[in-house]
Amino acid sequence: MPDMWKGKPLVDRPKVSDVDLHYRIYNARTGELLSFGSNGGPGSLNGIVQDALRTQQEHPGVRLHVEQFEGPVYE
């Protein structure tokens, strides 16, 4: 049975945790780069969430903006 949203079936997609995710976290107001990283394989999304939570603790009151990139962000 497919996942449903508001009574409609959602299109099947690969799990996010099974792909490589490359990201940067910015201060949404100033554009300052606060963190970046690459996570791959199982748990990759969780790694980004943990980094965002840590970054928010280090910068209380800052609204975060996270961007995903096609390849590693530190080359």
Side-chain angles (χ1 to χ4, degrees):
M1 177 171 213
D3 288 330
M4 304 293 282
W5 177 255
K6 296 185 178 185
K8 295 182 180 179
L10 295 175
V11 177
D12 193 26
R13 298 280 189 243
K15 293 183 179 183
V16 172
S17 63
D18 293 341
V19 300
D20 290 340
L21 297 174
H22 313 285
Y23 66 95
R24 291 179 184 164
I25 301 176
Y26 297 95
N27 177 322
R29 187 176 58 79
T30 67
E32 175 188 9
L33 179 64
L34 303 176
S35 186
F36 66 90
S38 292
N39 291 296
S44 58
L45 184 58
N46 184 54
I48 295 172
V49 170
Q50 294 304 313
D51 190 10
L53 291 172
R54 184 180 63 250
T55 302
Q56 188 69 66
Q57 286 179 338
E58 293 170 354
H59 303 275
V62 170
R63 189 170 140 241
L64 302 181
H65 172 79
V66 180
E67 286 190 37
Q68 180 180 355
F69 290 82
E70 291 297 318
V73 296
Y74 47 82
E75 291 182 335

